[in-house]
Amino acid sequence: MTTTDTHKIRTICSINPCPTFDGVVATVRNGKVIKTEGDKDHPWSKGHTCPKGRHEWEVLYHPKRFKQPLLRTPSGMKEISWEEAIEVASERLGEVRTKYGPLSICSTLPRDPLSLFMRSLGSPNEMTNRDLCQGTVEVADQLTYGDVITIYRSAEDFRNSGCVLLVGTNPPVSAGGQWQDILHATRNGAKLIVVDPRRTEAARRADIYLQIRPGTDGALALAMLNVVINEDLYDAGFVDDYCVGFDQLREHVQQYTPKWASEITSLSPEEIVQTARTYAGNGPASYRGNLGLGQHSNSTQASRAFAALIAITGNIDILGGNRLPDPPPAGFEVLNQVLEDARVAKEVEEQALGADSFPLWAGPDSYMRAPHNPSVINAMLTDEPYPVKSWIVMGANPVMSYASAGKVMEAMKKLEFLMVLAYTPSPTSDLADLILPLAHPHEQNGVKFSPYGNWLSAMPKLVEPPEGCREDFQILHAIAERMVQKEYIQTNLIPWENNDEFMAARFADSKTSYQELCENGPIIREPKYKKYVDCGFKTDSGKVELYSSRMERYGYEPLPTYTECADSPTLLPRLAEKYPLCLTTRRTRQYLCSRSADYGWVREVDPYPQLLIHPVTAGERGIENGDKVAIETPKGSVRHVARLTEDIHPEVLSAIYGWWLPEKETEENGYLETNVNAVMSYDPPYDPEIGINRVQGVMCQIRKV
């Protein structure tokens, strides 16, 4: 007779990009996770989880999970020991650094141990994916308030709002826990405004739905400012006490009338006026702008316009508004201080790729301190302004997530050493010289802090990792130590040999031990409001900068403005004759960035990516529901399956981002057949402030295959 050991463990969803970190309960049987479900006792998520969170544990037992280091040889990938892997990594990285200098090594993504590892190497080129995510919004927020308060990882107080404004975001799919708070607010009488070219799940529940032309959100925001100011709907007390530049803004927005914006946005003047009055007149109001707003070559100024709207209506750091972040819990500053102490010298940061062209994004005085990604890719290909010969990739899949996918692949193939730390295969790991298998977050102790819910929770280890998988701290610390021994670098700046040491440092000064946090459950901290009364704002002036001194200093427009995207059909009418439609992208409820294409449960739901097309648009081209179609842009062609719906504007298409076909044997089929980033551009024209290029609203045409 056999016995089974089955027990349940309270933990947190392990999907790092998630904005809310839903509480989950894992069922573990005989040392294996067999199920996760929502934690009904979690004080914030209250049992809610999304499909991604409920299935993430299956990655632990993925049939192709990496369980041993793999080295590329002339005959293919070969399993090697960890001792050999550390030796290879330290030697190859050391050789590149010695031959070309520390700037020749770049990394993706800038997470805790990898950032410290890169600083040990002396390189400022820590690439982030936020340029193609919400980077424009983050920079705009910091220019205006000195803090980030409007992105999906911020602290919007949706639950207590009298009005919720969503621009280019669909929380039912991207942030289900937060959507529950929005629904709670609407049940209590809050107004919901949704701005999106596609009638999303959120739009169907909206009191006001604006089906805007892609890339014109800034025009809408400026016209709303015009209405709010001219009708005296702003918070005069807050403006007088805590804002600079209001008089200039008042004069500036007189040109941006609802009629002017109507001709640009495809909205009526009446819709714009009603939206402005609803937002300003039903406070407290909260706002969220996401990828639909932030992925255009005019996005920084558009985000600045919405930031000004939030400020002049007094919706900053109040109950039901957009909260300023509270200080992190004790222990979370430990890492931040170590990272700050480990910064490379200012003269080295000044050489980060793109720092000369985009000083708000790259360089020592920037908000992101990250290189300009397209400039890094170009340096790999051209050696200009200096060569980039090695790339360390962890927790990312650049082949699928970066625009100009073919160009990214070409750049990777020119590298002298590509090292990938990953759980499972991807188009990026397929090109690697060395693959190092990572332990999953469920296979180590962790802790999560949610700025949105202002709570702290333990994320205890559920099961042991496979014998051949190691933690990121363990891997990178060992490589850095070996490079010191070989005298390739002087110092290993990673102070913790493994995750347990890192966790001990985090809780060294805490009033609560990690064990107590595991046993007692999440700690919710009561938020403090109007912190700016005592502390001011983290801007140069100490106030909300409607007129940005830093923008002026760098030669940018200091007041929010509207400029048509340089690759817009309005400015390129002849090209628009060939490509008359606008291509946007989305994610499905079960798809996680670019990781999910080889997950069995995902492919059962979505065997092939679907392109949303209006029936009129499809009919004009002889396309029927379920037909395979080619999506064509000036950069190339990819394929999707047609799904006809009246929920999208007739001139707009919506494709699935980051989709690949792992069952295909060739790059062209497996990586490029369905990857919409293959027909997007990582080349100019760029957003002038931070250097993002347009990956929403791209001119396109479709045809039946």
Side-chain angles (χ1 to χ4, degrees):
M1 180 177 178
T2 60
T3 60
T4 60
D5 173 21
T6 302
H7 58 282
K8 295 188 175 184
I9 302 174
R10 294 182 69 192
T11 185
I12 298 297
C13 176
S14 64
I15 296 176
N16 192 60
C18 180
T20 46
F21 305 129
D22 295 327
V24 297
V25 177
T27 301
V28 179
R29 178 176 296 162
N30 294 336
K32 290 189 66 174
V33 181
I34 62 170
K35 180 176 68 171
T36 60
E37 55 195 330
D39 182 358
K40 296 178 181 178
D41 294 325
H42 190 279
W44 197 266
S45 57
K46 297 178 174 62
H48 173 272
T49 57
C50 73
K52 296 184 286 287
R54 289 194 297 274
H55 286 273
E56 176 64 10
W57 66 271
E58 296 179 27
V59 179
L60 307 181
Y61 311 111
H62 191 287
K64 294 184 179 180
R65 184 173 179 187
F66 296 129
K67 297 180 181 178
Q68 194 68 26
L70 294 169
L71 176 67
R72 184 172 300 280
T73 70
S75 58
M77 299 303 286
K78 165 191 167 186
E79 286 192 358
I80 59 174
S81 69
W82 269 106
E83 289 73 18
E84 292 174 285
I86 299 301
E87 190 69 21
V88 168
S90 60
E91 188 68 22
R92 297 286 294 275
L93 289 169
E95 288 174 351
V96 169
R97 188 181 187 278
T98 299
K99 184 175 181 181
Y100 301 103
L103 301 180
S104 66
I105 303 173
C106 70
S107 67
T108 307
L109 291 165
R111 291 181 179 159
D112 309 342
L114 186 52
S115 288
L116 291 168
F117 182 77
M118 288 295 291
R119 294 171 197 194
S120 300
L121 299 181
S123 174
N125 289 320
E126 300 174 44
M127 301 166 73
T128 173
N129 289 358
R130 282 143 74 190
D131 65 324
L132 293 175
C133 189
Q134 297 180 110
T136 51
V137 183
E138 293 183 65
V139 170
D141 276 8
Q142 291 178 87
L143 285 165
T144 310
Y145 321 117
D147 273 306
V148 180
I149 67 172
T150 68
I151 69 168
Y152 72 106
R153 295 287 284 274
S154 298
E156 302 89 342
D157 191 4
F158 292 134
R159 191 174 184 84
N160 296 305
S161 294
C163 179
V164 177
L165 172 58
L166 303 176
V167 180
T169 186
N170 186 26
V173 168
S174 61
Q178 296 179 8
W179 178 242
Q180 305 308 308
D181 288 343
I182 294 172
L183 292 178
H184 174 87
T186 60
R187 287 192 293 269
N188 287 339
K191 301 296 184 182
L192 176 60
I193 305 168
V194 176
V195 182
D196 204 297
R198 178 168 61 93
R199 186 180 287 105
T200 61
E201 291 87 342
R204 295 187 200 115
R205 302 293 295 266
D207 297 283
I208 298 175
Y209 167 51
L210 302 181
Q211 196 168 44
I212 197 168
R213 180 168 72 88
T216 64
D217 308 281
L220 168 64
L222 288 164
M224 290 177 67
L225 283 166
N226 175 289
V227 173
V228 169
I229 291 174
N230 288 338
E231 295 189 3
D232 290 330
L233 300 175
Y234 60 92
D235 184 332
F238 182 85
V239 167
D240 290 343
D241 293 341
Y242 299 107
C243 296
V244 294
F246 181 73
D247 290 339
Q248 295 101 314
L249 180 67
R250 180 200 293 273
E251 180 180 354
H252 176 68
V253 299
Q254 296 310 308
Q255 62 188 304
Y256 300 124
T257 65
K259 184 177 184 300
W260 164 85
S262 172
E263 296 171 357
I264 293 171
T265 60
S266 299
L267 306 172
S268 71
E270 293 76 19
E271 286 178 302
I272 296 170
V273 171
Q274 180 195 17
T275 300
R277 290 173 177 169
T278 301
Y279 175 78
N282 289 275
S286 55
Y287 161 84
R288 161 77 55 79
N290 208 333
L291 304 187
L293 168 68
Q295 293 185 326
H296 302 273
S297 57
N298 61 3
S299 287
T300 302
Q301 290 287 8
S303 301
R304 277 269 295 149
F306 280 110
L309 180 67
I310 298 167
I312 68 167
T313 51
N315 284 303
I316 299 177
D317 212 24
I318 61 172
L319 183 73
N322 285 75
R323 289 196 296 109
L324 293 167
D326 286 286
F332 275 72
E333 286 297 335
V334 170
L335 176 64
N336 293 338
Q337 189 58 55
V338 169
L339 286 168
E340 187 64 24
D341 292 343
R343 284 180 65 177
V344 297
K346 182 177 180 180
E347 58 268 24
V348 176
E349 287 188 348
E350 288 172 344
Q351 298 178 69
L353 288 161
D356 54 343
S357 301
F358 306 107
L360 294 175
W361 184 268
D365 299 321
S366 68
Y367 290 109
M368 288 296 178
R369 289 195 218 146
H372 180 238
N373 285 6
S375 296
V376 179
I377 301 301
N378 288 335
M380 293 177 186
L381 291 168
T382 67
D383 289 347
E384 296 293 338
Y386 52 76
V388 174
K389 296 297 184 180
S390 182
W391 194 351
I392 304 166
V393 178
M394 184 175 79
N397 187 6
V399 169
M400 302 306 299
S401 57
Y402 289 6
S404 295
K407 182 178 180 180
V408 174
M409 290 172 60
E410 181 186 354
M412 283 186 166
K413 291 176 181 177
K414 285 199 69 175
L415 294 169
E416 293 191 8
F417 184 57
L418 173 61
M419 184 170 82
V420 174
L421 291 77
Y423 311 129
T424 58
S426 71
T428 297
S429 70
D430 284 352
L431 301 177
D433 297 296
L434 180 65
I435 299 172
L436 302 178
L438 280 173
H440 190 274
H442 282 325
E443 296 165 340
Q444 53 194 301
N445 287 321
V447 63
K448 291 288 188 183
F449 171 63
S450 169
Y452 177 79
N454 209 27
W455 54 258
L456 179 72
S457 181
M459 188 176 166
K461 179 191 289 188
L462 302 182
V463 294
E464 294 295 327
E467 186 177 347
C469 297
R470 292 189 179 181
E471 305 160 354
D472 49 9
F473 271 107
Q474 190 179 8
I475 296 169
L476 294 169
H477 183 279
I479 297 172
E481 279 294 294
R482 189 69 182 119
M483 292 184 75
V484 170
Q485 294 168 6
K486 290 170 171 281
E487 299 185 349
Y488 283 126
I489 60 176
Q490 291 184 337
T491 308
N492 176 7
L493 295 175
I494 307 175
W496 308 291
E497 288 190 25
N498 52 50
N499 183 69
D500 286 343
E501 288 189 5
F502 174 53
M503 289 292 294
R506 276 195 152 172
F507 280 84
D509 297 324
S510 175
K511 295 179 182 178
T512 302
S513 71
Y514 186 71
Q515 187 60 36
E516 288 171 337
L517 189 62
C518 292
E519 293 172 355
N520 298 332
I523 298 173
I524 290 187
R525 308 187 310 169
E526 286 298 320
K528 296 179 180 179
Y529 296 101
K530 296 189 177 181
K531 294 180 283 294
Y532 53 80
V533 173
D534 296 322
C535 304
F537 291 87
K538 299 175 186 176
T539 58
D540 293 344
S541 65
K543 294 189 174 185
V544 173
E545 296 203 358
L546 306 173
Y547 186 103
S548 170
S549 58
R550 187 169 292 201
M551 293 277 274
E552 183 177 45
R553 186 161 69 248
Y554 284 114
Y556 303 120
E557 289 290 338
L559 291 165
T561 60
Y562 177 76
T563 305
E564 189 75 18
C565 289
D567 51 356
S568 157
T570 303
L571 299 181
L572 300 172
R574 293 188 63 181
L575 189 63
E577 292 178 5
K578 183 176 181 181
Y579 301 103
L581 303 174
C582 289
L583 177 62
T584 64
T585 63
R586 71 189 193 284
R587 297 172 185 169
T588 66
R589 192 182 303 273
Q590 55 274 4
Y591 204 75
L592 174 60
C593 298
S594 62
R595 270 182 50 193
S596 306
D598 65 340
Y599 295 178
W601 72 273
V602 174
R603 295 301 293 276
E604 289 178 7
V605 179
D606 288 327
Y608 204 85
Q610 295 183 340
L611 180 73
L612 302 185
I613 313 172
H614 194 279
V616 172
T617 308
E620 292 171 348
R621 292 160 175 77
I623 295 171
E624 297 182 359
N625 205 51
D627 285 345
K628 187 171 283 190
V629 296
I631 308 166
E632 299 172 339
T633 77
K635 290 292 183 180
S637 173
V638 293
R639 297 184 178 187
H640 274 43
V641 166
R643 178 182 158 200
L644 277 54
T645 175
E646 294 185 352
D647 286 339
I648 195 161
H649 191 283
E651 296 178 1
V652 178
L653 307 174
S654 178
I656 295 291
Y657 152 88
W659 194 276
W660 50 289
L661 302 171
E663 66 273 17
K664 300 282 188 174
E665 294 184 357
T666 65
E667 293 175 357
E668 288 70 20
N669 290 334
Y671 308 167
L672 304 180
E673 178 179 315
T674 58
N675 180 9
V676 72
N677 273 332
V679 296
M680 302 289 186
S681 174
Y682 230 3
D683 298 317
Y686 297 128
D687 175 294
E689 288 82 14
I690 73 161
I692 186 180
N693 43 322
R694 194 177 199 186
V695 291
Q696 295 280 4
V698 174
M699 286 190 286
C700 73
Q701 179 61 287
I702 53 168
R703 60 179 174 82
K704 183 176 178 178
V705 175

